[in-house]
Amino acid sequence: MADDRWLFVSDAHLTPGDEVRQGELARFLLDFPGLTHLCINGDLFDFFFGFQSREMAGFDTILAALGELTTRGVTLHYVEGNHDFCLGPRFAARYGARIHPNGTALTLGDQRVWVEHGDLANPEEHLEHLFRWLFRTRAARLLAEGVGPARLQRFGRWLDRATTGAHYTIRDTAHPCFRGYAARRIAAGYDVVIFGHAHVPGDEVVEAAGRRGRYLNSGDWLAHRSYITWEAATGFRLHNGGRPGNGPAPGEPREPG
Ligand SMILES: [Mn+2]
């Protein structure tokens, strides 16, 4: 549609009760002019599991904003990351979201677009890959339902500490693992590939199999407050919104995850 206005954000890593950042992100989303489509590209939450009958506590502010957006008619796409799992039919119904556990293909204008969180790009992230697989098994879902939101949240914090810092020499969005992973999609026929996960915004040309494509990384909503927009008149734009340079805000983590 001619008036479509897309927004792609990722890697806010919101924690329970973090009212300041939840509020900032909620205001940014709700005040975004002309927004018709929001695509969350993973790790909106530092840890989130989609329980079938309960909600994880402490995320009311951001969840209310998502609900408000869908009430306004904004289409919500949620590409799961390696910190948000099994959002499933309940989340989809409650927030009107289209849930994509492994990524999604879009057509914007005349371009074929692939959106994926990007954690599978780095072959060294063994533990993350294990938990990505494990959390999506039926056995893990049943176990999580029994364990319950509060205890699972504590486990999530432990898991985050266990996996952070192991492979984080890869902070460069243009690292060969991300470029190579994007190149595979471009070789397969996509024109634009969008990842997050690296926590560094990026926008570059990637050539693969005689094709020329564009690889965008939405960066994060921690240090950079970066995001991607698309509208028909301008195409894709990367906005390195908040803070100059690559420095984290005081007290904020900057490691990818
Ligand atoms: Mn991630």
Side-chain angles (χ1 to χ4, degrees):
M1 315 298 174
D3 295 330
D4 281 358
R5 188 146 199 227
W6 285 72
L7 170 62
F8 299 79
V9 292
S10 70
D11 298 278
H13 287 267
L14 300 172
T15 51
D18 180 4
E19 289 304 320
V20 173
R21 284 201 316 118
Q22 285 189 47
E24 284 175 6
L25 182 53
R27 270 194 304 282
F28 172 71
L29 298 176
L30 292 169
D31 293 348
F32 201 86
L35 184 66
T36 60
H37 294 74
L38 170 63
C39 181
I40 294 166
N41 194 13
D43 292 3
L44 175 65
F45 304 100
D46 204 49
F47 186 81
F48 194 92
F49 184 88
F51 286 92
Q52 285 172 28
S53 58
R54 292 168 285 184
E55 202 70 274
M56 295 197 80
F59 296 118
D60 293 355
T61 301
I62 190 66
L63 291 174
L66 298 184
E68 167 66 17
L69 287 173
T70 52
T71 301
R72 293 181 190 173
V74 173
T75 301
L76 174 60
H77 290 269
Y78 200 123
V79 177
E80 293 182 357
N82 57 314
H83 289 251
D84 24 32
F85 304 96
C86 303
L87 297 182
R90 183 167 169 275
F91 193 98
R94 185 152 184 185
Y95 304 105
R98 302 175 196 187
I99 310 293
H100 311 287
N102 299 308
T104 187
L106 304 168
T107 302
L108 294 181
D110 58 359
Q111 292 186 301
R112 293 187 65 205
V113 184
W114 178 254
V115 187
E116 179 176 337
H117 182 61
D119 52 300
L120 295 178
N122 182 356
E124 293 175 16
E125 295 186 4
H126 304 294
L127 196 55
E128 288 88 337
H129 296 179
L130 174 67
F131 277 101
R132 163 181 270 275
W133 171 79
L134 199 63
F135 265 110
R136 289 173 170 88
T137 61
R138 182 169 156 73
R141 276 184 228 191
L142 291 172
L143 184 64
E145 292 288 341
V147 165
R151 277 186 290 177
L152 196 63
Q153 184 65 256
R154 286 199 293 276
F155 173 73
R157 302 305 294 250
W158 171 84
L159 178 63
D160 191 41
R161 286 196 300 275
T163 55
T164 297
H167 316 290
Y168 296 139
T169 51
I170 300 176
R171 293 179 176 178
D172 180 2
T173 308
H175 188 278
C177 77
F178 288 108
R179 283 187 64 94
Y181 203 61
R184 279 158 54 183
R185 295 292 181 180
I186 286 160
Y190 288 97
D191 303 301
V192 177
V193 177
I194 300 178
F195 296 148
H197 188 63
H199 290 209
V200 181
D203 182 1
E204 54 187 295
V205 171
V206 173
E207 296 188 18
R211 301 190 75 256
R212 191 178 168 85
R214 187 173 175 190
Y215 156 49
L216 287 154
N217 197 301
S218 47
D220 64 46
W221 195 264
L222 287 162
H224 299 94
R225 302 291 199 269
S226 52
Y227 56 95
I228 295 164
T229 57
W230 181 92
E231 52 194 304
T234 58
F236 284 99
R237 276 187 178 165
L238 175 67
H239 306 259
N240 191 352
R243 302 197 170 90
N246 286 335
E252 285 186 346
R254 82 141 290 171
E255 290 81 5

